[in-house]
Every structure is written in structure tokens, then in C-alpha cells.
Amino acid sequence: MVSALVRTILVTGGAGYIGSHTVLQLLQQGFRVVVIDNLDNASQVALIRVAELAGHNGANLVFHKVDLRDRHALEDIFSSHRFEAVIHFAGLKAVGESVQKPLLYYDNNLIGTITLLEVMAAHRCKKLVFSSSATVYGWPKEVPCTEEFPLCATNPYGRTKLVIEDICRDVHRSDPEWKIILLRYFNPVGAHPSGYIGEDPCGIPNNLMPYVQQVAVGRRPHLTVYGTDYNTKDGTGVRDYIHVVDLADGHIAALRKLYEDSDKIGCEVYNLGTGKGTSVLEMVAAFEKASGKKIPLVFAGRRPGDAEIVYAATAKAEKELKWKAKYGVEEMCRDLWNWASKNPYGYAGSPEDGSN
Ligand code: NAD
Ligand code: UD1
């Protein structure tokens, strides 16, 4: 177990979906946490709730509304804290938008990361955990996807993940003092079991379960199922859904690895998934069961860029991070519904305040 007595972790993008759940776990484990987030895709309410959920450890959370590309602000923050490590979530993540606005994605995700790495190096903070994605496997030739599979990008968002992974490998090669863990997330779903924090996407959700959630609370009339002719059990796409609390735990495991196995770690990559594939229709059925709500469906053609079946090989993370997902789709849907039914308009609280 990591002794977290004096450890301060910088979390970029910590007000967002995965970040807020990870910050809570860090606080509960006794870490001090400094979050920077420009709140482009998040609400500060998430962090207020995280601090409340963390009880007396909530006092160990500091928030700065800062854009990662603002080097002066970043320098100031690094000058006023001594960070043991950085968990870097901040980035834009909407695939469709990245196709429309590639320069925005390259600027935000790449320049943001380069600025962060430069400031970290200048302050001799050289331990990093980075949010990569299963998107780097594209349409895999076989499943489960192991970390050694060939990588590709099918859109600018995915390309930023590939490039940042390469930047991290180069940075480590140039200076072996860097200890970097790249985490390739599969499909995060669900919410903290309290129903107090969860996913609150701005605008129309791109991902399956946030969309289902909005149908269930009456914000959207139906779910469009993209593709019914895949070579899968029921013709719909198969993915590896992972509970966001398990994902947050994976970050603690990665941090622990950076500290405890520091000599063995260079720049290492791990999948964070469950190793199980679930189809769109199976997910909808699990959600209907958990919520008691009927989700009206409209069947449509395939969504461009979508793969047929993607799920993770989990052996490397299990062996080296000693981490394994605990929850299944029932728990994901139960906790998603608990969050959605208590917060139908997310953190905004009402349709007027929220982004529809
Ligand atoms: P999110 O949008 O909820 O969180 C990202 C946070 O980063 C937001 O709070 C946003 O305001 C902030 N941010 C963006 N650009 C910033 C900048 N320049 N400066 C400061 N803050 C900035 O997304 P999430 O789902 O929590 O994802 C976190 C990370 O994990 C992202 O890098 C994402 O690409 C990656 N990821 C997410 C998924 C997923 O399905 N959610 C899957 C794989 C990988
Ligand atoms: C998408 C992104 C991927 C990103 C991942 C996690 C694309 C092409 N890929 O992947 O880059 O890493 O999210 O953020 O956008 N589905 C529907 N109806 C919907 C939404 C989705 O049927 O309204 C289906 C999809 O066709 C897919 C499954 O649900 O079969 C999961 O979709 P989604 O949640 O968007 O995740 P990914 O496709 O894995």
C-alpha cells in the first residue's frame, strides 16, 4: 500500500467524468490533490461534491481553474506545490467534433500535454499517468486486444492519443528519470454508488450509455442503434464496458506501481478493461432491468469509424498493476441509473441551466 502521508498529486482535468471519480478515490486514500481544469467540459459542482463525499479528507483538495496551455499559470501552480506525480486527464474527447475541428483538438490536446511535460521537467516532477484510449486499436483484427497490437488512428481525437503516447515514449528515452504509465481505457460507464457524482456531458452525448441515460429521464425520445449487421451475437457492436469506479481504482494501482516499482518502470502501457464484450442490445437490456424504464429504439446503419468488436486483454494489468475490474454491467447500470434519476439534468439541476 502506498504511504500517502505527504504525497500531493496534480490531477489535470480532475473536474471531468473520470477525473472526479479518481480524485475522490485519491482523497479517500489520504493523498493531497490539486486539480487544474478549465471547466470547458465540466462543472465545479462536481468537485464540491467530491470534497463532501471525501468527508474530512475533502480539505485536502485544491482547485485551480486554469487552462493547461497557460504556461505562466501552470508555472505558478508548480512553484507553490511539490507534486509527487501527475495524473493527466485533461483533453477534448468528442470524436465527431475532432473531425470537424482538428486544429482545436491538436492545439488543446497536444499543446496542453507538451506544456505540461515541459513544466513538469522544469520542476523535476517526472512521474506521469496518462489517459490513453482503446481507440488506438482501431478496428482490431482479433480480440481480446493486447497491449502489443498494432496501433492506428481513424480520427484526429485518436491521433492525439497516439501522438501523446509516442511523445511520452520519446521523453522517457531522452531522460530515463521519467516514469510514465499510459492507461488505455475501454468504455467507462456508471457513476459513484452514492449517485452524487457521475457523467454530465455537454450537448448531445456521443457515447452509448450517456445517451441511454438521457432517454430514460425523458430528455431524448429514443436511442438510435448504429448498425444491426455486425458479425456479433445480435448484430450490434460489442464493447468492453468498465465501471468508472474500477477505472478510478486502476489509477491508484498505476500510481502505486510508479512508486513501488520505480526501478522497473520506464514508459509502460496497460489496458484498463474487464475483458468481457457486451453488445448494444445487451447493454440496453441491462439498463432497462436496472431502471425499470423502457428505452425506445430506432435501428439505423453503422456509424462511420465504428469497429465491430473491441474488448481488452487484461492479463498485463492484472499481473503488473495487481488490478482487476470488480464490477459487471448490472452494477454499472444500477449506479448509472442511481445518478441519472437523482440528477436528470446533471450538475446544472434544471433544463434551463443545463445544455440540452
Ligand atoms: P471529460 O471531458 O469529462 O474530462 C476532461 C476534463 O478536461 C474536462 O473537465 C475538461 O474541462 C478538461 N479540459 C479539457 N481541456 C483542457 C485544458 N486545455 N486545460 C484544462 N482542462 C481541460 O472526459 P473524461 O471522460 O473524464 O475523460 C478523461 C480523459 O480520458 C480524456 O483525456 C479522454 O480522452 C480519456 N478517455 C475517455 C474515455 C471515455 O469514454 N470517457 C475513453 C478513453 C479515454
Ligand atoms: C467511441 C469513440 C472512441 C472513444 C470511445 C470512448 C467513435 C467512432 N469512437 O467509441 O474513439 O475512445 O467512444 O469515448 O465515436 N452506439 C449506438 N447508438 C448511440 C451511441 C453508440 O448504437 O447513440 C453504439 C456504437 O455504434 C457502438 C457502441 O454503441 O457499437 C458503443 O459506442 P460508444 O459509446 O460511442 O463507444 P465506442 O464506439 O467504443
Side-chain angles (χ1 to χ4, degrees), residues 95 133 135 187 206-208 224-226 239 241 280 303 306:
V95 171
S133 166
T135 194
N187 293 60
N206 300 295
N207 296 121
L208 177 65
T224 304
V225 177
Y226 295 127
R239 295 291 183 275
Y241 297 94
V280 173
R303 185 173 65 175
D306 266 358

Side-chain angles (χ1 to χ4, degrees), residues 93-96 132-136 154-155 157-158 161 185-189 199 205-212 222-227 230 236-241 278-281 283-284 298 301-308 310:
K93 62 163 186 177
V95 171
S132 187
S133 166
T135 194
V136 298
T154 52
N155 52 67
Y157 163 72
K161 294 297 180 196
Y185 311 152
F186 282 68
N187 293 60
V189 165
E199 185 167 14
N206 300 295
N207 296 121
L208 177 65
M209 295 314 284
Y211 205 101
V212 167
H222 60 258
L223 170 74
T224 304
V225 177
Y226 295 127
Y230 287 112
T236 64
V238 166
R239 295 291 183 275
D240 187 336
Y241 297 94
T278 307
S279 74
V280 173
L281 295 183
M283 273 316 266
V284 171
V298 169
R302 297 179 178 194
R303 185 173 65 175
D306 266 358
E308 190 163 72
V310 187

Side-chain angles (χ1 to χ4, degrees), residues 12-20 36-43 64-70 88-94 107-109 112 130-135 157 160-161 183-189 199-201 207 244 247 251:
T12 76
Y17 172 45
I18 307 169
S20 56
I36 60 173
D37 196 303
N38 62 8
L39 299 181
D40 265 13
N41 196 38
S43 162
H64 297 279
K65 184 175 183 298
V66 158
D67 191 293
L68 260 193
R69 293 161 293 181
D70 182 344
H88 176 31
F89 293 104
L92 297 173
K93 62 163 186 177
D107 182 44
N108 192 78
N109 294 4
F130 171 65
S131 306
S132 187
S133 166
T135 194
Y157 163 72
T160 67
K161 294 297 180 196
L183 297 175
R184 292 187 186 144
Y185 311 152
F186 282 68
N187 293 60
V189 165
E199 185 167 14
D200 183 18
N207 296 121
V244 67
L247 200 58
H251 291 76

Side-chain angles (χ1 to χ4, degrees), residues 191-261:
H192 188 263
S194 63
Y196 211 42
I197 55 171
E199 185 167 14
D200 183 18
C202 297
I204 301 171
N206 300 295
N207 296 121
L208 177 65
M209 295 314 284
Y211 205 101
V212 167
Q213 160 189 341
Q214 293 197 1
V215 175
V217 298
R219 290 172 65 176
R220 317 252 165 225
H222 60 258
L223 170 74
T224 304
V225 177
Y226 295 127
T228 53
D229 60 347
Y230 287 112
N231 188 19
T232 60
K233 42 199 148 186
D234 57 24
T236 64
V238 166
R239 295 291 183 275
D240 187 336
Y241 297 94
I242 173 166
H243 198 299
V244 67
V245 171
D246 274 331
L247 200 58
D249 274 341
H251 291 76
I252 310 290
L255 269 187
R256 194 187 304 141
K257 180 87 180 164
L258 283 181
Y259 289 117
E260 293 177 357
D261 268 346

Side-chain angles (χ1 to χ4, degrees), residues 1-326:
M1 190 60 234
V2 175
S3 158
L5 281 179
V6 289
R7 291 196 164 145
T8 305
I9 309 298
L10 175 68
V11 182
T12 76
Y17 172 45
I18 307 169
S20 56
H21 288 79
T22 305
V23 169
L24 175 58
Q25 230 103 313
L26 287 167
L27 292 170
Q28 286 172 333
Q29 304 240 350
F31 289 92
R32 286 193 210 119
V33 182
V34 175
V35 167
I36 60 173
D37 196 303
N38 62 8
L39 299 181
D40 265 13
N41 196 38
S43 162
Q44 201 176 335
V45 177
L47 289 176
I48 293 168
R49 293 190 182 183
V50 163
E52 285 173 23
L53 285 171
H56 65 273
N57 286 353
N60 291 333
L61 174 62
V62 173
F63 172 62
H64 297 279
K65 184 175 183 298
V66 158
D67 191 293
L68 260 193
R69 293 161 293 181
D70 182 344
R71 182 183 299 269
H72 294 301
L74 212 52
E75 282 283 357
D76 284 350
I77 292 167
F78 271 82
S79 299
S80 50
H81 304 272
R82 191 180 159 277
F83 297 119
E84 295 284 334
V86 175
I87 305 181
H88 176 31
F89 293 104
L92 297 173
K93 62 163 186 177
V95 171
E97 185 186 50
S98 81
V99 174
Q100 304 299 321
K101 301 176 183 170
L103 295 178
L104 172 68
Y105 273 66
Y106 292 130
D107 182 44
N108 192 78
N109 294 4
L110 299 185
I111 304 298
T113 302
I114 291 168
T115 309
L116 174 68
L117 293 172
E118 286 172 346
V119 176
M120 284 175 71
H123 290 263
R124 302 195 56 73
C125 170
K126 296 184 182 174
K127 289 191 174 73
L128 177 75
V129 178
F130 171 65
S131 306
S132 187
S133 166
T135 194
V136 298
Y137 296 120
W139 182 316
K141 286 207 182 80
E142 52 181 326
V143 280
C145 302
T146 71
E147 286 83 351
E148 292 73 38
F149 270 24
L151 307 180
C152 70
T154 52
N155 52 67
Y157 163 72
R159 210 162 344 266
T160 67
K161 294 297 180 196
L162 275 187
V163 172
I164 294 170
E165 283 202 4
D166 279 336
I167 289 173
C168 289
R169 285 185 270 269
D170 287 340
V171 163
H172 170 260
R173 237 174 257 130
S174 74
D175 175 359
E177 276 185 18
W178 279 93
K179 309 289 172 193
I180 303 176
I181 291 187
L182 310 170
L183 297 175
R184 292 187 186 144
Y185 311 152
F186 282 68
N187 293 60
V189 165
H192 188 263
S194 63
Y196 211 42
I197 55 171
E199 185 167 14
D200 183 18
C202 297
I204 301 171
N206 300 295
N207 296 121
L208 177 65
M209 295 314 284
Y211 205 101
V212 167
Q213 160 189 341
Q214 293 197 1
V215 175
V217 298
R219 290 172 65 176
R220 317 252 165 225
H222 60 258
L223 170 74
T224 304
V225 177
Y226 295 127
T228 53
D229 60 347
Y230 287 112
N231 188 19
T232 60
K233 42 199 148 186
D234 57 24
T236 64
V238 166
R239 295 291 183 275
D240 187 336
Y241 297 94
I242 173 166
H243 198 299
V244 67
V245 171
D246 274 331
L247 200 58
D249 274 341
H251 291 76
I252 310 290
L255 269 187
R256 194 187 304 141
K257 180 87 180 164
L258 283 181
Y259 289 117
E260 293 177 357
D261 268 346
S262 187
D263 303 344
K264 292 185 209 139
I265 281 278
C267 179
E268 206 53 66
V269 59
Y270 296 98
N271 287 337
L272 293 185
T274 65
K276 294 188 187 70
T278 307
S279 74
V280 173
L281 295 183
E282 286 173 330
M283 273 316 266
V284 171
F287 184 85
E288 287 182 333
K289 190 163 169 229
S291 63
K293 296 277 175 184
K294 187 84 196 137
I295 304 298
L297 302 179
V298 169
F299 293 95
R302 297 179 178 194
R303 185 173 65 175
D306 266 358
E308 190 163 72
I309 306 181
V310 187
Y311 58 88
T314 57
K316 189 178 177 194
E318 280 172 31
K319 182 163 177 268
E320 297 182 17
L321 297 182
K322 299 179 182 61
W323 170 90
K324 190 176 175 5
K326 292 194 278 289

